[in-house]
Amino acid sequence: MTATAVAHPNIALVKYWGKADADLALPATGSVSMGLDVFPTTTSVTLDADREARDTLTLNGRVVDDGALVRVERFLDLVRDLSGSDARAAVVSENTVPTGAGLASSASGFAALAVAAASAYGLDLSSRDLSRLARRGSGSATRSIPGGVAVWHAGDDEGSFAETIPAPPMAMVVVTIDDGPKEIGSREAMRRTIATSPFYPAWVTSTTETVQDMLAACAAGDFTRIGELTESNALRMHATIEGAFPPIRYLNSRSVAVFDAVAALRADGLEAYATADAGPNVVVLCRPGDRARVAASLDGFGAVIESGTGPAAHLVGSERPGDHPRAEETTA
């Protein structure tokens, strides 16, 4: 059995930073995101009935046997437990997101893996349960399952999932300042922030409030308020991370220059708001009709890519032994 799925990254409007339960990947707070319609990840999972086989991972044409394979194996073990199957799997993934650069490569990667693996192992999961499953691979993958503008609920294992919420039309402009892997990964940075940053308790309190404010702004279609909350929350997250010991600084001088340039655009009457996940790259939130002007204004800071609101993770093909390949357009 082979199943193939596609998922897209998401950029948090209200950030996820820190776990309440590391084993279950439960977040310390809720979060809100917008899915992108660029940087798709396509993942195929093929089952192997040979009990002596091992799980394998091929990423962008390269066989991987390091920590990334370990994370995939652990995730597949969860799927095997749910399905009652002990079959091993060959995972082949093409990831167009710069890996480890703070552009949510793990979000699209594990969302695509969750959809493909669930199908390959014969699981019939709702979007809610696929979101819960993806969460166990990567927290931000929770929000890439439903697509669109989504809220990831904090809570227990059953209650911590993501779902799409009403929101006004929005677009994003991605400014890629550095597409290389970051020196300190998000998991280690989260652990250090929780353990050593004196600002972390206030981050949890303020972000919990910001999620509610963001949900209200989205429901009201208030783009200005959405943008203000987005930029403020991003800066609060980076301040909290920089307060860790030893300090961790993801934003560099070019990142800050983009934030300044976006503020200048607003002063000139072009409404846009900057945000950044755990990396140096900056994403600018704007209205769909303004995205070309925003992109043109920021072209000198790095590679610039425009994005609309992205789709849900979805299955694009499945094939059982003896079947002819066929394409299925089913949303997860």
Side-chain angles (χ1 to χ4, degrees), residues 228-276:
E228 291 171 345
L229 292 169
T230 295
E231 188 165 294
S232 173
N233 184 255
L235 293 173
R236 286 179 178 181
M237 183 189 77
H238 284 277
T240 304
I241 297 170
E242 290 178 13
F245 185 84
I248 301 168
R249 186 170 69 176
Y250 284 125
L251 300 180
N252 59 31
S253 60
R254 292 170 62 196
S255 309
V256 174
V258 176
F259 272 80
D260 290 343
V262 171
L265 289 178
R266 287 201 300 273
D268 289 339
L270 181 56
E271 196 170 11
Y273 300 89
T275 186

Side-chain angles (χ1 to χ4, degrees), residues 9-171:
N10 66 82
I11 299 297
L13 308 177
V14 181
K15 305 298 187 187
Y16 151 59
W17 194 256
K19 296 181 176 70
D21 185 317
D23 290 337
L24 293 175
L26 300 177
T29 70
S31 58
V32 181
S33 68
M34 175 180 145
L36 303 181
D37 63 7
V38 295
F39 298 140
T41 296
T42 303
T43 298
S44 295
V45 175
T46 301
L47 302 192
D48 191 335
D50 182 357
R51 296 192 177 188
E52 301 301 317
R54 295 285 307 275
D55 293 321
T56 61
L57 172 63
T58 303
L59 178 60
N60 294 339
R62 182 178 68 88
V63 176
V64 176
D65 59 3
D66 55 14
L69 174 59
V70 173
R71 286 183 69 182
V72 166
E73 287 178 321
R74 289 174 179 168
F75 185 81
L76 292 173
D77 284 342
L78 294 172
V79 180
R80 282 187 278 262
D81 286 344
L82 289 171
S83 68
S85 170
D86 59 4
R88 297 292 144 175
V91 177
V92 178
S93 187
E94 292 292 329
N95 192 5
T96 62
V97 192
T99 301
L103 287 173
S105 60
S106 64
S108 59
F110 275 97
L113 179 60
V115 174
S119 177
Y121 280 92
L123 297 174
D124 183 17
L125 300 182
S126 66
S127 177
R128 173 175 175 159
D129 286 337
L130 279 169
S131 180
R132 291 177 54 238
L133 176 61
R135 188 192 78 222
R136 302 293 296 275
S138 171
S140 56
T142 312
R143 300 183 307 240
S144 280
I145 294 293
V149 177
V151 58
W152 175 14
H153 302 286
D156 60 13
D157 185 26
E158 288 291 327
S160 185
F161 64 95
E163 60 182 339
T164 303
I165 59 173
M170 296 186 290

